[in-house]
Amino acid sequence: MVPAFSATAADAPSTTAAASAAAAPTAKSKNVIVLIGDGMGPAQVSAARDYARHFLNKNHLELDSYYVGQATTYADRGEDGGVMVSGEVTDSASAGTAFATGHKTYNAGISVSNEDVSKPFASVIEASEKVGKATGLVTTARITHATPAVYASHVRNRDNESAIASQYLNDQSVDVLFGGGKQFFVSKQEKGKRADKTIIPDFEAKGYKVVYDKAGLQSLEAKDGKALGLFGNSHVDYVLDRSESVPSLADMSQKAIDILSQNPNGFTMMIEGGRIDHAGHANDLPALVQEALDFDAAVKVAMDFAKKDGNTSVVVTADHETGGLSLSRDGVYEINVDAWNKEKQSSEVFAVKLKAAKSIEEIKQLVFENTGFNDLSDDEASYIMKGDGTSYAQEGAYNAVVAKRLMVGFTGHGHSAVDVGVWAYGPIADLVKGQIDNTDIARAISKVANVDLDGTTAELQAQYVYPKFKVTREGATLFPARMLSTSLGINVAWDEAAKSVVLSKGDNKVAVNVETAETTWNGAASSFNASMDNGSLWLSLDAFQQLTGKTLAWDALSERISLK
């Protein structure tokens, strides 16, 4: 971005120094670890530190001494849930794409470009695999969720998690996958219907040891090489709700490092504290703080390894802030930290009880049992029963009532556009200092890991495109004719006399009458399917296949066209 101010003479020395640093050779690291606190804005970090000071006798978080700057988080303008948005407020998919690949995209896009016919962007994980490094993804969210997904898959929409799981199996060779999301490995989504089909045996056939709990995790040996850990059907349980059988993020991180560090070529891995974001969405401060501390413990694991190893870079950041958290509220110069450790269950689990409650007295009793607060008014209890008017319903209302007593505030259940912190250790620290953009993180990783992001991207783009598409009532899949033609090097022209769109490549032509949708191939009637939709022509893949002379295959699960 161009600064909104002009440089002065006083700026000249630092500008020159920055230019010299940029021109200097970049020190390399055999291993690179990136840690993402999903939804972890400045207030979330402060809240975790406040808690640590009050209850853990720690004045600083593990990550504090590695602070180097902050990053912007904005995405591209584009569609988000069918609505055009500016991109100033990012989601995890677009932000993740930025710091995994070095490219901006639209909200919901998973490492694909912002076009009607998208192209894939390679991640630092994929580029690392090309040079023989070990790779790993670790998260407390579903392993198919947006942040891990951007490192090892490509889809137009982050919700296509079955395709993400399938791509982990068939396209990539990520050595360690630890997180939740078992549901997307025991069944596969096909054409809008769930079909019972486990892909876990396929992972095992490729040499993965598959585990499902803390004991299973601990049983893995460093020499095992490949491991898939699925520690929840959906996300890994919140810290507040975990049983002894559920591993912490630090547990998962340590085991992943043990396995990956056996590779003589080094490794690249991502560790995500995914549920900081979820607690922020719900406005559940006590759960949020515990998730942030869980993440901070994983930061210690990474830093301890890096210091001992001597050949590892670590970078820590967030994709965005969630919830619009404020520490204080209502004009009162106070926060009630003493009450931040009262909640026994996360609001996610507790909300089931609230939803079943039949009276305001029952609500009051439930809240007392979970928090110790015994002063709820009838109005507050009634508000909780009714819900807050959002999809969070009783959970959202409960958290709003609790937040008042904790003396914190939230602007809503979504993300915000504030900059996020950056912390780093090792050679990468010099590349991410000061005010940076989230895309700079991927470029910095590629430099210190000595991997080729652009070359790996070129290889991927020669294999696949990810177009918009629509399915007719008859079941035919159609693609945007002009945009796909441009992507495939096909000429498009308008024949006014025939009222036809003419697609041509070499001596071959496909013509489509826009009034009748009739198609021809080199002047003869053809069976190509075509449709006009709001002035745009959509056409079946066989027409493009004939024109290019290539075998183009439509992958309905991953919603992509193979150009192989």
Side-chain angles (χ1 to χ4, degrees), residues 205-262:
K206 287 193 170 185
Y208 286 84
K209 294 288 183 67
V210 183
V211 297
Y212 302 99
D213 54 25
K214 187 173 182 177
L217 179 72
Q218 292 173 337
S219 73
L220 294 172
E221 299 182 18
K223 63 180 177 59
D224 285 336
K226 289 182 175 292
L228 171 64
L230 300 171
F231 306 112
N233 194 47
S234 183
H235 304 298
V236 177
D237 289 342
Y238 279 123
V239 172
L240 286 175
D241 307 320
R242 284 180 197 163
S243 68
E244 291 296 322
S245 67
V246 179
S248 68
L249 185 60
D251 293 334
M252 290 188 272
S253 300
Q254 184 63 66
K255 183 61 70 173
I257 290 172
D258 291 346
I259 294 171
L260 299 175
S261 60
Q262 302 305 303

Short mmCIF file of all heavy atoms in Angstrom, two decimals, residues 205-262:
data_model
loop_
_atom_site.label_atom_id
_atom_site.label_comp_id
_atom_site.label_asym_id
_atom_site.label_seq_id
_atom_site.Cartn_x
_atom_site.Cartn_y
_atom_site.Cartn_z
N ALA A 205 -3.13 -46.80 4.21
CA ALA A 205 -2.45 -47.46 3.10
C ALA A 205 -1.26 -46.64 2.60
O ALA A 205 -0.32 -47.19 2.01
CB ALA A 205 -3.43 -47.71 1.96
N LYS A 206 -1.31 -45.33 2.83
CA LYS A 206 -0.20 -44.46 2.43
C LYS A 206 0.84 -44.30 3.53
O LYS A 206 1.74 -43.46 3.42
CB LYS A 206 -0.74 -43.08 2.02
CG LYS A 206 -1.45 -43.09 0.68
CD LYS A 206 -1.67 -41.69 0.16
CE LYS A 206 -2.16 -41.71 -1.29
NZ LYS A 206 -2.26 -40.35 -1.86
N GLY A 207 0.70 -45.08 4.59
CA GLY A 207 1.71 -45.08 5.64
C GLY A 207 1.42 -44.23 6.85
O GLY A 207 2.29 -44.09 7.74
N TYR A 208 0.21 -43.66 6.94
CA TYR A 208 -0.13 -42.84 8.10
C TYR A 208 -0.54 -43.70 9.29
O TYR A 208 -1.34 -44.64 9.13
CB TYR A 208 -1.30 -41.90 7.77
CG TYR A 208 -0.94 -40.73 6.89
CD1 TYR A 208 -0.89 -40.86 5.50
CD2 TYR A 208 -0.65 -39.49 7.43
CE1 TYR A 208 -0.56 -39.79 4.68
CE2 TYR A 208 -0.33 -38.40 6.62
CZ TYR A 208 -0.29 -38.56 5.25
OH TYR A 208 0.02 -37.50 4.43
N LYS A 209 -0.02 -43.39 10.47
CA LYS A 209 -0.54 -43.94 11.71
C LYS A 209 -1.70 -43.03 12.12
O LYS A 209 -1.53 -41.80 12.20
CB LYS A 209 0.53 -43.94 12.79
CG LYS A 209 1.71 -44.86 12.53
CD LYS A 209 1.31 -46.31 12.69
CE LYS A 209 2.49 -47.26 12.51
NZ LYS A 209 3.49 -47.13 13.57
N VAL A 210 -2.86 -43.59 12.36
CA VAL A 210 -4.06 -42.80 12.67
C VAL A 210 -4.41 -42.97 14.14
O VAL A 210 -4.53 -44.11 14.63
CB VAL A 210 -5.25 -43.22 11.78
CG1 VAL A 210 -6.45 -42.32 12.06
CG2 VAL A 210 -4.86 -43.13 10.30
N VAL A 211 -4.58 -41.85 14.84
CA VAL A 211 -4.89 -41.88 16.28
C VAL A 211 -6.05 -40.93 16.57
O VAL A 211 -6.32 -40.01 15.79
CB VAL A 211 -3.66 -41.50 17.13
CG1 VAL A 211 -2.55 -42.52 16.94
CG2 VAL A 211 -3.16 -40.10 16.81
N TYR A 212 -6.70 -41.17 17.72
CA TYR A 212 -7.93 -40.44 18.00
C TYR A 212 -7.98 -39.79 19.39
O TYR A 212 -8.96 -39.13 19.72
CB TYR A 212 -9.13 -41.38 17.86
CG TYR A 212 -9.23 -42.02 16.50
CD1 TYR A 212 -8.76 -43.32 16.28
CD2 TYR A 212 -9.75 -41.33 15.41
CE1 TYR A 212 -8.83 -43.92 15.04
CE2 TYR A 212 -9.83 -41.92 14.16
CZ TYR A 212 -9.37 -43.20 13.98
OH TYR A 212 -9.44 -43.78 12.74
N ASP A 213 -6.96 -39.98 20.23
CA ASP A 213 -7.00 -39.41 21.56
C ASP A 213 -5.58 -39.17 22.06
O ASP A 213 -4.59 -39.44 21.34
CB ASP A 213 -7.77 -40.31 22.53
CG ASP A 213 -7.24 -41.75 22.57
OD1 ASP A 213 -6.05 -41.96 22.24
OD2 ASP A 213 -8.03 -42.65 22.93
N LYS A 214 -5.47 -38.65 23.29
CA LYS A 214 -4.16 -38.29 23.84
C LYS A 214 -3.27 -39.52 23.99
O LYS A 214 -2.06 -39.45 23.70
CB LYS A 214 -4.34 -37.60 25.19
CG LYS A 214 -3.06 -37.05 25.78
CD LYS A 214 -3.34 -36.23 27.02
CE LYS A 214 -2.07 -35.64 27.60
NZ LYS A 214 -2.36 -34.78 28.78
N ALA A 215 -3.84 -40.62 24.41
CA ALA A 215 -3.05 -41.84 24.55
C ALA A 215 -2.50 -42.28 23.20
O ALA A 215 -1.34 -42.69 23.08
CB ALA A 215 -3.89 -42.95 25.19
N GLY A 216 -3.34 -42.19 22.18
CA GLY A 216 -2.88 -42.54 20.83
C GLY A 216 -1.77 -41.62 20.36
O GLY A 216 -0.80 -42.06 19.74
N LEU A 217 -1.93 -40.33 20.66
CA LEU A 217 -0.90 -39.35 20.29
C LEU A 217 0.42 -39.70 20.96
O LEU A 217 1.49 -39.71 20.32
CB LEU A 217 -1.35 -37.95 20.70
CG LEU A 217 -0.37 -36.81 20.40
CD1 LEU A 217 -0.32 -36.53 18.91
CD2 LEU A 217 -0.78 -35.54 21.17
N GLN A 218 0.35 -39.99 22.24
CA GLN A 218 1.58 -40.30 22.99
C GLN A 218 2.23 -41.59 22.51
O GLN A 218 3.44 -41.76 22.64
CB GLN A 218 1.26 -40.39 24.48
CG GLN A 218 0.87 -39.04 25.09
CD GLN A 218 0.39 -39.16 26.53
OE1 GLN A 218 -0.06 -40.23 26.96
NE2 GLN A 218 0.45 -38.07 27.26
N SER A 219 1.43 -42.48 21.92
CA SER A 219 1.99 -43.75 21.44
C SER A 219 2.78 -43.60 20.14
O SER A 219 3.54 -44.50 19.78
CB SER A 219 0.86 -44.77 21.23
OG SER A 219 0.09 -44.44 20.07
N LEU A 220 2.59 -42.49 19.45
CA LEU A 220 3.32 -42.28 18.21
C LEU A 220 4.81 -42.11 18.50
O LEU A 220 5.20 -41.47 19.47
CB LEU A 220 2.80 -41.03 17.48
CG LEU A 220 1.36 -41.08 16.96
CD1 LEU A 220 0.94 -39.72 16.44
CD2 LEU A 220 1.23 -42.13 15.85
N GLU A 221 5.62 -42.66 17.64
CA GLU A 221 7.06 -42.55 17.78
C GLU A 221 7.61 -41.62 16.71
O GLU A 221 7.05 -41.49 15.62
CB GLU A 221 7.71 -43.92 17.67
CG GLU A 221 7.26 -44.89 18.77
CD GLU A 221 7.96 -46.24 18.66
OE1 GLU A 221 9.02 -46.31 17.99
OE2 GLU A 221 7.46 -47.21 19.24
N ALA A 222 8.71 -40.99 17.01
CA ALA A 222 9.31 -40.03 16.09
C ALA A 222 9.61 -40.67 14.73
O ALA A 222 9.50 -40.03 13.69
CB ALA A 222 10.59 -39.45 16.68
N LYS A 223 9.94 -41.94 14.74
CA LYS A 223 10.30 -42.64 13.50
C LYS A 223 9.09 -43.01 12.66
O LYS A 223 9.23 -43.50 11.54
CB LYS A 223 11.10 -43.90 13.82
CG LYS A 223 10.33 -44.94 14.62
CD LYS A 223 11.18 -46.17 14.90
CE LYS A 223 10.45 -47.20 15.76
NZ LYS A 223 9.21 -47.68 15.14
N ASP A 224 7.87 -42.78 13.17
CA ASP A 224 6.67 -43.18 12.42
C ASP A 224 6.53 -42.42 11.11
O ASP A 224 5.89 -42.92 10.17
CB ASP A 224 5.42 -42.99 13.28
CG ASP A 224 5.28 -44.07 14.35
OD1 ASP A 224 5.85 -45.17 14.15
OD2 ASP A 224 4.62 -43.82 15.38
N GLY A 225 7.04 -41.21 11.03
CA GLY A 225 7.09 -40.49 9.76
C GLY A 225 5.82 -39.79 9.36
O GLY A 225 5.80 -38.60 9.11
N LYS A 226 4.71 -40.54 9.30
CA LYS A 226 3.44 -39.95 8.89
C LYS A 226 2.37 -40.25 9.94
O LYS A 226 2.26 -41.38 10.40
CB LYS A 226 2.98 -40.48 7.53
CG LYS A 226 3.81 -39.98 6.34
CD LYS A 226 3.26 -40.51 5.04
CE LYS A 226 4.00 -39.93 3.83
NZ LYS A 226 3.75 -38.50 3.67
N ALA A 227 1.59 -39.23 10.29
CA ALA A 227 0.57 -39.42 11.32
C ALA A 227 -0.64 -38.55 11.04
O ALA A 227 -0.50 -37.39 10.64
CB ALA A 227 1.13 -39.11 12.70
N LEU A 228 -1.82 -39.11 11.27
CA LEU A 228 -3.09 -38.40 11.19
C LEU A 228 -3.77 -38.52 12.55
O LEU A 228 -4.10 -39.62 12.99
CB LEU A 228 -3.98 -39.01 10.10
CG LEU A 228 -5.43 -38.53 10.02
CD1 LEU A 228 -5.50 -37.04 9.68
CD2 LEU A 228 -6.23 -39.35 8.99
N GLY A 229 -3.94 -37.40 13.23
CA GLY A 229 -4.61 -37.39 14.51
C GLY A 229 -5.91 -36.65 14.42
O GLY A 229 -5.94 -35.47 14.05
N LEU A 230 -7.01 -37.32 14.72
CA LEU A 230 -8.35 -36.72 14.66
C LEU A 230 -8.93 -36.75 16.06
O LEU A 230 -9.46 -37.75 16.52
CB LEU A 230 -9.22 -37.51 13.67
CG LEU A 230 -8.69 -37.54 12.23
CD1 LEU A 230 -9.49 -38.52 11.38
CD2 LEU A 230 -8.72 -36.14 11.62
N PHE A 231 -8.85 -35.61 16.75
CA PHE A 231 -9.16 -35.55 18.17
C PHE A 231 -10.53 -34.95 18.47
O PHE A 231 -10.75 -34.40 19.55
CB PHE A 231 -8.05 -34.79 18.89
CG PHE A 231 -6.68 -35.35 18.62
CD1 PHE A 231 -5.75 -34.63 17.88
CD2 PHE A 231 -6.34 -36.62 19.06
CE1 PHE A 231 -4.50 -35.15 17.61
CE2 PHE A 231 -5.08 -37.16 18.79
CZ PHE A 231 -4.16 -36.42 18.06
N GLY A 232 -11.42 -35.07 17.53
CA GLY A 232 -12.80 -34.62 17.72
C GLY A 232 -13.57 -34.82 16.43
O GLY A 232 -12.99 -34.74 15.34
N ASN A 233 -14.86 -35.11 16.55
CA ASN A 233 -15.67 -35.27 15.34
C ASN A 233 -15.75 -33.96 14.59
O ASN A 233 -15.70 -33.92 13.36
CB ASN A 233 -17.06 -35.77 15.70
CG ASN A 233 -17.81 -36.29 14.50
OD1 ASN A 233 -17.26 -37.07 13.70
ND2 ASN A 233 -19.06 -35.86 14.32
N SER A 234 -15.89 -32.86 15.35
CA SER A 234 -15.81 -31.53 14.78
C SER A 234 -14.53 -30.90 15.31
O SER A 234 -13.45 -31.46 15.15
CB SER A 234 -17.05 -30.71 15.13
OG SER A 234 -17.01 -29.43 14.51
N HIS A 235 -14.62 -29.74 15.96
CA HIS A 235 -13.43 -29.12 16.51
C HIS A 235 -12.96 -29.85 17.77
O HIS A 235 -13.74 -30.54 18.43
CB HIS A 235 -13.71 -27.65 16.84
CG HIS A 235 -14.23 -26.86 15.68
ND1 HIS A 235 -13.50 -26.67 14.53
CD2 HIS A 235 -15.41 -26.20 15.49
CE1 HIS A 235 -14.20 -25.94 13.67
NE2 HIS A 235 -15.37 -25.65 14.24
N VAL A 236 -11.70 -29.67 18.11
CA VAL A 236 -11.18 -30.18 19.38
C VAL A 236 -11.89 -29.41 20.50
O VAL A 236 -12.13 -28.21 20.40
CB VAL A 236 -9.66 -29.98 19.47
CG1 VAL A 236 -9.13 -30.45 20.83
CG2 VAL A 236 -8.96 -30.72 18.33
N ASP A 237 -12.26 -30.10 21.57
CA ASP A 237 -12.98 -29.46 22.67
C ASP A 237 -12.23 -28.25 23.21
O ASP A 237 -10.99 -28.24 23.26
CB ASP A 237 -13.19 -30.45 23.82
CG ASP A 237 -14.19 -31.54 23.50
OD1 ASP A 237 -14.97 -31.36 22.54
OD2 ASP A 237 -14.18 -32.57 24.19
N TYR A 238 -13.01 -27.25 23.62
CA TYR A 238 -12.42 -26.12 24.33
C TYR A 238 -11.63 -26.62 25.55
O TYR A 238 -11.96 -27.66 26.14
CB TYR A 238 -13.51 -25.18 24.84
CG TYR A 238 -14.07 -24.21 23.83
CD1 TYR A 238 -15.44 -24.19 23.55
CD2 TYR A 238 -13.26 -23.29 23.18
CE1 TYR A 238 -15.98 -23.28 22.65
CE2 TYR A 238 -13.79 -22.38 22.28
CZ TYR A 238 -15.15 -22.38 22.01
OH TYR A 238 -15.68 -21.47 21.12
N VAL A 239 -10.64 -25.85 25.97
CA VAL A 239 -9.87 -26.17 27.17
C VAL A 239 -10.81 -26.40 28.35
O VAL A 239 -10.65 -27.34 29.14
CB VAL A 239 -8.87 -25.05 27.49
CG1 VAL A 239 -8.22 -25.28 28.85
CG2 VAL A 239 -7.81 -24.95 26.40
N LEU A 240 -11.83 -25.54 28.50
CA LEU A 240 -12.76 -25.64 29.63
C LEU A 240 -13.55 -26.94 29.63
O LEU A 240 -14.04 -27.37 30.68
CB LEU A 240 -13.72 -24.46 29.62
CG LEU A 240 -13.17 -23.09 30.04
CD1 LEU A 240 -14.23 -22.01 29.87
CD2 LEU A 240 -12.69 -23.13 31.49
N ASP A 241 -13.67 -27.57 28.47
CA ASP A 241 -14.52 -28.75 28.34
C ASP A 241 -13.74 -30.04 28.11
O ASP A 241 -14.34 -31.11 27.99
CB ASP A 241 -15.50 -28.56 27.18
CG ASP A 241 -16.29 -27.27 27.28
OD1 ASP A 241 -16.70 -26.92 28.40
OD2 ASP A 241 -16.50 -26.61 26.23
N ARG A 242 -12.43 -29.97 28.04
CA ARG A 242 -11.64 -31.14 27.69
C ARG A 242 -11.59 -32.16 28.81
O ARG A 242 -11.42 -31.83 29.98
CB ARG A 242 -10.19 -30.73 27.36
CG ARG A 242 -10.04 -30.09 26.00
CD ARG A 242 -8.60 -29.71 25.73
NE ARG A 242 -8.54 -28.76 24.63
CZ ARG A 242 -7.49 -28.00 24.35
NH1 ARG A 242 -6.41 -28.09 25.10
NH2 ARG A 242 -7.52 -27.17 23.34
N SER A 243 -11.67 -33.42 28.41
CA SER A 243 -11.40 -34.53 29.32
C SER A 243 -9.92 -34.86 29.24
O SER A 243 -9.18 -34.31 28.42
CB SER A 243 -12.23 -35.75 28.93
OG SER A 243 -11.78 -36.26 27.68
N GLU A 244 -9.49 -35.80 30.08
CA GLU A 244 -8.08 -36.19 30.09
C GLU A 244 -7.66 -36.87 28.79
O GLU A 244 -6.47 -36.96 28.48
CB GLU A 244 -7.82 -37.14 31.26
CG GLU A 244 -7.90 -36.49 32.63
CD GLU A 244 -6.83 -35.43 32.83
OE1 GLU A 244 -5.69 -35.65 32.35
OE2 GLU A 244 -7.13 -34.38 33.42
N SER A 245 -8.64 -37.31 28.00
CA SER A 245 -8.31 -38.03 26.77
C SER A 245 -8.02 -37.11 25.59
O SER A 245 -7.61 -37.56 24.52
CB SER A 245 -9.45 -38.98 26.39
OG SER A 245 -10.61 -38.25 26.04
N VAL A 246 -8.24 -35.80 25.79
CA VAL A 246 -8.06 -34.84 24.68
C VAL A 246 -6.72 -34.13 24.84
O VAL A 246 -6.45 -33.52 25.88
CB VAL A 246 -9.20 -33.81 24.67
CG1 VAL A 246 -8.99 -32.81 23.53
CG2 VAL A 246 -10.55 -34.51 24.52
N PRO A 247 -5.86 -34.18 23.83
CA PRO A 247 -4.55 -33.53 23.95
C PRO A 247 -4.66 -32.01 23.85
O PRO A 247 -5.59 -31.48 23.24
CB PRO A 247 -3.77 -34.09 22.76
CG PRO A 247 -4.83 -34.41 21.74
CD PRO A 247 -6.02 -34.87 22.53
N SER A 248 -3.70 -31.32 24.44
CA SER A 248 -3.61 -29.87 24.31
C SER A 248 -2.92 -29.52 23.00
O SER A 248 -2.33 -30.39 22.33
CB SER A 248 -2.80 -29.28 25.47
OG SER A 248 -1.44 -29.69 25.37
N LEU A 249 -2.95 -28.25 22.63
CA LEU A 249 -2.24 -27.82 21.43
C LEU A 249 -0.74 -28.02 21.60
O LEU A 249 -0.04 -28.39 20.66
CB LEU A 249 -2.56 -26.36 21.12
CG LEU A 249 -1.99 -25.81 19.81
CD1 LEU A 249 -2.50 -26.60 18.61
CD2 LEU A 249 -2.32 -24.33 19.65
N ALA A 250 -0.25 -27.80 22.82
CA ALA A 250 1.18 -28.03 23.08
C ALA A 250 1.53 -29.50 22.92
O ALA A 250 2.60 -29.84 22.37
CB ALA A 250 1.53 -27.54 24.49
N ASP A 251 0.66 -30.40 23.39
CA ASP A 251 0.88 -31.84 23.22
C ASP A 251 1.01 -32.20 21.74
O ASP A 251 1.94 -32.92 21.33
CB ASP A 251 -0.27 -32.65 23.82
CG ASP A 251 -0.38 -32.55 25.33
OD1 ASP A 251 0.64 -32.30 25.98
OD2 ASP A 251 -1.51 -32.72 25.84
N MET A 252 0.07 -31.72 20.96
CA MET A 252 0.07 -32.02 19.53
C MET A 252 1.30 -31.43 18.85
O MET A 252 1.93 -32.07 18.00
CB MET A 252 -1.20 -31.47 18.88
CG MET A 252 -2.47 -32.20 19.24
SD MET A 252 -3.89 -31.64 18.26
CE MET A 252 -4.47 -30.25 19.24
N SER A 253 1.65 -30.19 19.23
CA SER A 253 2.79 -29.51 18.61
C SER A 253 4.09 -30.23 18.89
O SER A 253 4.94 -30.41 18.00
CB SER A 253 2.86 -28.06 19.11
OG SER A 253 1.67 -27.35 18.79
N GLN A 254 4.28 -30.65 20.15
CA GLN A 254 5.52 -31.34 20.51
C GLN A 254 5.66 -32.65 19.75
O GLN A 254 6.74 -32.96 19.23
CB GLN A 254 5.54 -31.62 22.01
CG GLN A 254 6.83 -32.25 22.50
CD GLN A 254 8.02 -31.34 22.28
OE1 GLN A 254 8.13 -30.28 22.90
NE2 GLN A 254 8.94 -31.73 21.38
N LYS A 255 4.58 -33.41 19.66
CA LYS A 255 4.66 -34.70 18.95
C LYS A 255 4.91 -34.46 17.46
O LYS A 255 5.70 -35.21 16.84
CB LYS A 255 3.38 -35.49 19.16
CG LYS A 255 3.40 -36.88 18.51
CD LYS A 255 4.52 -37.77 19.08
CE LYS A 255 4.23 -38.18 20.51
NZ LYS A 255 5.22 -39.17 20.99
N ALA A 256 4.29 -33.46 16.89
CA ALA A 256 4.50 -33.16 15.47
C ALA A 256 5.96 -32.79 15.22
O ALA A 256 6.58 -33.26 14.25
CB ALA A 256 3.59 -32.03 15.03
N ILE A 257 6.53 -31.96 16.08
CA ILE A 257 7.93 -31.57 15.92
C ILE A 257 8.84 -32.79 16.07
O ILE A 257 9.82 -32.95 15.32
CB ILE A 257 8.29 -30.47 16.94
CG1 ILE A 257 7.60 -29.16 16.57
CG2 ILE A 257 9.80 -30.28 17.02
CD1 ILE A 257 7.72 -28.07 17.60
N ASP A 258 8.54 -33.66 17.02
CA ASP A 258 9.34 -34.88 17.21
C ASP A 258 9.40 -35.69 15.92
O ASP A 258 10.46 -36.22 15.56
CB ASP A 258 8.74 -35.75 18.33
CG ASP A 258 8.89 -35.13 19.71
OD1 ASP A 258 9.67 -34.18 19.87
OD2 ASP A 258 8.18 -35.60 20.63
N ILE A 259 8.27 -35.81 15.25
CA ILE A 259 8.20 -36.61 14.02
C ILE A 259 8.87 -35.88 12.86
O ILE A 259 9.70 -36.45 12.15
CB ILE A 259 6.73 -36.93 13.67
CG1 ILE A 259 6.12 -37.85 14.75
CG2 ILE A 259 6.63 -37.58 12.29
CD1 ILE A 259 4.62 -38.05 14.60
N LEU A 260 8.52 -34.61 12.67
CA LEU A 260 9.00 -33.87 11.50
C LEU A 260 10.50 -33.61 11.55
O LEU A 260 11.16 -33.55 10.50
CB LEU A 260 8.25 -32.54 11.39
CG LEU A 260 6.73 -32.64 11.19
CD1 LEU A 260 6.10 -31.25 11.21
CD2 LEU A 260 6.38 -33.35 9.89
N SER A 261 11.04 -33.45 12.74
CA SER A 261 12.47 -33.11 12.86
C SER A 261 13.39 -34.27 12.49
O SER A 261 14.61 -34.09 12.45
CB SER A 261 12.76 -32.62 14.28
OG SER A 261 12.45 -33.61 15.24
N GLN A 262 12.82 -35.43 12.22
CA GLN A 262 13.64 -36.57 11.79
C GLN A 262 14.08 -36.43 10.33
O GLN A 262 15.00 -37.12 9.89
CB GLN A 262 12.86 -37.88 11.96
CG GLN A 262 12.40 -38.14 13.39
CD GLN A 262 13.54 -38.12 14.38
OE1 GLN A 262 14.50 -38.87 14.26
NE2 GLN A 262 13.43 -37.24 15.37
#
